[in-house]
Amino acid sequence: MNETSKAATLIAGGGRLAVGIFLAVAVAAVLLPILVTLQLAFWSSSLGRGGFFTLSNFLFLFTNKSMLPLLWTTAVFTVSVAAGGTALGGFMAWVTTSTNVPMPRFAYLIPLIPLLLPPFMKDFAWIILYRPNTGLVNVGLRGFFGLENSPFNIHSLTGMTLVAIFGMAPIAYVVLASPLSSLNHTLVEASRVAGASAWLTLRRVTIPVLTPAVLSAAALLGIMIASAFETPVLIGQPGGVRTYISVIFAALNSTAVPDYNLAAAECTAYLVFTLAVLWLYLHLTRVERKYAVVSGQSITARVRFGTWGRWSLFAFLLVYLLFAAIQLVAATLFVSFVSFFSVTKNTLVFIFSTVNYTDAMQSGQVGRAIWNSLWVGLIVSTLVVVAATLLSFVSIRARFRGRRVLEAIATFPIAVPPLVFSVAILLSLLSLPGARAFYNTVTPLLIADAVVFLPFATRVLVGAIIQVHTSMEEASRIAGASAGRTFRLILVPLLTPALIGSFALVFAFSFRELGAIALLVPPGTPLLPTEIFQFWEIGQYGPVAVLNILSVFVLAVALLIVYGPVNRFSRGARPVRMHG
């Protein structure tokens, strides 16, 4: 072997070693905090300080008198939102894909618009509008109708559930629109020929055929709402409606010294609950194929309604848009331009001003928060896309036993609520030898964000890699190219759209994420979500509204800058020809 070949072999070996180390670090970042949390849950004291195995933490947890009502509230909230969100989103998907609703292209986009609004912004606006005593809608209705009491109370289990249903419906819409679009409409046509009405066809034909897809959508919404942080804390907690997530946050965010072992037990119990919902989701998605009714000869006929019927369906979509997006943006803009806000019994007194924007623009803290959020988003997105690409490639293309375990590990965090994982990171920092050096630094925050969003990028990239046929890689190997060169010059250009899409998705999520970082933000490192939350906690609603508007604007501009030029470049991306 000549010197050049030796050097090439060493470089290739070093590359494989670097990839192996990176994969090992990624797997450790996912599993180690959870394992530490599990050990603390069954331990009598903090790790590294002696102690012994015990079940006392769980005994205390489940014998606490407040535990049963807490579990009941959490279950009712989760099931109600999953069912309501699936029903609302599924109905809108049916309207836009299977009926003759007017302006079908615009109608199809209507349910997607609320996805553009950050969760904190939506919850804040709901509170401004429907708070019992000072909500703008309640004040207006009391004054107009002369009511003594407010008709709406957002700080209740019902109010919290309705807010979450409106927020989760677009997710169900996205999940169910595809199978409805691909449904063989021969069945619908046969039902119509038999004399069934549109509503009877929906109930007797469409819904039974799509039952597994509907159930899997409901399970997915259950996972997501069980992991939600903003709605239970912002809307439920002020009204005394406690869910598991809000109790964990309150226990660790209080001024008293927290019981970390009990917190670990609480997180473990909640993790078991979310894993059970995840198992249900995976099981339902596996059995969907048994109900396949997609055909290449599908008739594309839609259910035909009369003039009043079709415009009524369009009006329903507009009403949803009004409640789920328009009123929320309007309320946020209104408060952002109000410098003085007061409510008497049935009268609203306010003064319009731009002072909130002026103060925000002149505040160095807000500017630092925006800048920090941007670079945190860029770092997290880069880490996640690199890790997801390597994990996906190895799990799909590698030829060793158990390779798909890497994909499972990368998907596992979807069942871990962001707040629970941030608690796991915090417990690891306080328990593992040498880990305290990273306490109150930005490293735990980056790890938490990266792990929480890893499943989203992994699912995008696994699907993209599966679609790339192995023949191109085999041709590259026959031509003498190394695995690294093949990956860089063949796969990366072909995967560019998926890489850009996953990068943009993770960047948007991490820029506005609060649950995963609420307990991990170090002193002196303000981030936009935590700044908004701190202003909210002290009742400064003007700055909250301004920062919500700024967060939407900055995120939109950042995505255009990052995504736009690269997306144009990717349209012409082709595998690079290799010589020699």
Side-chain angles (χ1 to χ4, degrees), residues 190-224:
S191 176
R192 188 174 65 180
V193 171
S197 66
W199 301 114
L200 185 62
T201 300
L202 174 64
R203 185 163 56 91
R204 293 287 183 88
V205 177
T206 306
I207 292 178
V209 166
L210 294 175
T211 294
V214 171
L215 292 177
S216 65
L220 178 61
L221 261 61
I223 295 172
M224 298 183 69

Side-chain angles (χ1 to χ4, degrees), residues 288-348:
E288 279 185 42
R289 66 190 67 183
K290 297 179 181 179
Y291 288 72
V293 288
V294 178
S295 169
Q297 302 298 322
S298 175
I299 298 175
T300 57
R302 291 173 176 243
V303 177
R304 312 293 297 182
F305 285 91
T307 302
W308 283 103
R310 61 197 297 260
W311 282 101
S312 296
L313 293 174
F314 189 76
F316 177 86
L317 296 177
L318 292 180
V319 169
Y320 169 77
L321 181 64
L322 172 65
F323 279 95
I326 295 176
Q327 67 162 351
L328 306 182
V329 174
T332 305
L333 283 171
F334 170 79
V335 175
S336 71
F337 283 105
V338 169
S339 60
F340 175 79
F341 183 94
S342 177
V343 177
T344 60
K345 182 178 180 181
N346 289 326
T347 305
L348 176 65

Side-chain angles (χ1 to χ4, degrees), residues 227-516:
S227 304
F229 171 79
E230 289 86 355
T231 301
V233 172
L234 298 180
I235 294 181
Q237 196 165 275
V241 181
R242 302 194 311 156
T243 62
Y244 222 119
I245 283 290
S246 62
V247 167
I248 293 174
F249 174 75
L252 292 177
N253 198 46
S254 64
T255 55
V257 178
D259 186 340
Y260 291 112
N261 296 89
L262 181 60
E266 292 174 338
C267 290
T268 301
Y270 204 59
L271 181 60
V272 171
F273 171 73
T274 53
L275 283 175
V277 181
L278 176 62
W279 175 87
L280 176 63
Y281 170 70
L282 295 175
H283 174 72
L284 291 171
T285 53
R286 279 198 298 269
V287 302
E288 279 185 42
R289 66 190 67 183
K290 297 179 181 179
Y291 288 72
V293 288
V294 178
S295 169
Q297 302 298 322
S298 175
I299 298 175
T300 57
R302 291 173 176 243
V303 177
R304 312 293 297 182
F305 285 91
T307 302
W308 283 103
R310 61 197 297 260
W311 282 101
S312 296
L313 293 174
F314 189 76
F316 177 86
L317 296 177
L318 292 180
V319 169
Y320 169 77
L321 181 64
L322 172 65
F323 279 95
I326 295 176
Q327 67 162 351
L328 306 182
V329 174
T332 305
L333 283 171
F334 170 79
V335 175
S336 71
F337 283 105
V338 169
S339 60
F340 175 79
F341 183 94
S342 177
V343 177
T344 60
K345 182 178 180 181
N346 289 326
T347 305
L348 176 65
V349 179
F350 57 88
I351 299 175
F352 278 120
S353 172
T354 59
V355 65
N356 291 325
Y357 285 89
T358 303
D359 292 344
M361 296 303 178
Q362 295 177 347
S363 173
Q365 188 80 350
V366 171
R368 289 177 58 207
I370 293 175
W371 174 252
N372 290 339
S373 295
L374 287 172
W375 71 256
V376 165
L378 288 172
I379 293 175
V380 169
S381 302
T382 303
L383 290 174
V384 168
V385 169
V386 172
T389 303
L390 293 177
L391 287 168
S392 303
F393 180 76
V394 172
S395 65
I396 299 299
R397 292 290 199 257
R399 298 180 179 179
F400 59 86
R401 287 182 179 274
R403 64 188 186 279
R404 299 304 295 269
V405 173
L406 291 175
E407 181 186 349
I409 292 173
T411 307
F412 170 73
I414 199 173
V416 183
L419 181 68
V420 171
F421 191 78
S422 68
V423 173
I425 292 283
L426 182 63
L427 295 177
S428 300
L429 293 174
L430 298 174
S431 304
L432 294 177
R436 284 182 178 269
F438 296 99
Y439 187 69
N440 278 340
T441 69
V442 75
T443 301
L445 182 151
L446 296 175
I447 293 174
D449 256 357
V451 171
V452 164
F453 299 124
L454 181 62
F456 299 98
T458 301
R459 298 318 306 166
V460 172
L461 290 166
V462 164
I465 291 174
I466 289 175
Q467 289 181 333
V468 177
H469 199 271
T470 58
S471 59
M472 300 189 71
E473 300 164 53
E474 293 170 357
S476 175
R477 285 197 297 269
I478 292 173
S482 65
R485 195 177 185 195
T486 300
F487 179 82
R488 187 177 74 255
L489 299 180
I490 298 293
L491 280 176
V492 169
L494 293 173
L495 296 175
T496 296
L499 292 171
I500 296 171
S502 58
F503 184 93
L505 180 69
V506 174
F507 179 84
F509 283 170
S510 61
F511 182 82
R512 67 192 196 188
E513 174 62 28
L514 179 60

